[in-house]
Amino acid sequence: MTVSVLFVCLGNICRSPTADGVLRQRIAEAGWADVVRVDSAGTGDWHLGKGPDPRSTAAARERGYDLSSLRARQVSAEDFAAFDYVLAMDRSNLDALRAMCPAQYTGHLSLFLDFHPRRGADGIPEEVPDPYYGDEQGFPQVLDLVEAACDGLLAHLADRYRLPARP
Ligand code: 4NP
């Protein structure tokens, strides 16, 4: 059995590569690398083949995540069948995904922050804000949200797929 997760943002150079790097590392630490497949993609095509934004790479490196091997790609129609979870960073990305998703796979789509452990609480947004045109502070804020939502997603996957407890 394998389960697969695709993170989606607009450019695939800031938010979704950050989520990809964080979840990938947590899965490796949990010993689930053979069971959970992780990838990321963008709804837009401006940065195809490029590595993540240096500001995202630096913010991730500060917390011990390596994004250096990731390269931007665009979401394709095949992704909806290929990935069990297609998780959008914001509503605009989710709308773009819905518009291209074959009807039988719409159940694979949701907002990533639906998995935040404190979803609905004061101060917890429903979307991961786009940091691209903002200041440096936006990047650690993305990481705060991504780390928490990855923990919630891992707990969900462990429960739903009965993954063995972490060592
Ligand atoms: P991301 O951020 O969707 O988190 O990768 C963006 C990156 C690039 C652009 C917009 C958002 N852009 O307009 O080029």
Side-chain angles (χ1 to χ4, degrees):
M1 192 280 306
T2 61
V3 56
S4 49
V5 177
L6 180 68
F7 293 111
V8 179
C9 61
L10 181 58
N12 192 209
I13 56 169
C14 297
R15 292 165 293 175
S16 63
T18 299
D20 186 332
V22 170
L23 190 67
R24 209 177 275 261
Q25 178 160 320
R26 279 169 164 47
I27 282 168
E29 287 167 0
W32 298 336
D34 293 339
V35 186
V36 185
R37 187 161 63 93
V38 185
D39 197 4
S40 64
T43 57
D45 65 357
W46 306 284
H47 303 283
L48 301 184
K50 301 261 179 63
D53 187 302
R55 297 168 296 174
S56 293
T57 307
R61 194 188 307 117
E62 285 219 347
R63 298 194 193 183
Y65 307 106
D66 179 12
L67 307 186
S68 63
S69 65
L70 303 177
R71 292 295 174 268
R73 74 172 180 89
Q74 194 170 22
V75 181
S76 74
E78 292 75 46
D79 284 324
F80 301 102
F83 289 90
D84 302 300
Y85 293 79
V86 179
L87 303 179
M89 294 293 147
D90 62 35
R91 291 199 179 283
S92 163
N93 308 147
L94 186 60
D95 288 346
L97 291 169
R98 283 208 179 105
M100 63 187 290
C101 183
Q104 71 262 44
Y105 300 120
T106 52
H108 293 189
L109 303 179
S110 59
L111 283 172
F112 176 38
L113 292 191
D114 285 352
F115 291 95
H116 195 296
R118 292 191 295 121
R119 175 180 187 232
D122 277 356
I124 305 301
E126 294 182 354
E127 307 174 293
V128 182
D130 184 349
Y132 188 67
Y133 292 110
D135 61 24
E136 295 289 325
Q137 271 307 101
F139 292 85
Q141 284 165 3
V142 165
L143 269 160
D144 289 343
L145 290 168
V146 163
E147 287 183 321
C150 278
D151 286 341
L153 177 60
L154 279 172
H156 164 86
L157 295 175
D159 184 46
R160 179 162 176 191
Y161 297 95
R162 305 199 175 286
L163 301 178
R166 294 189 206 206

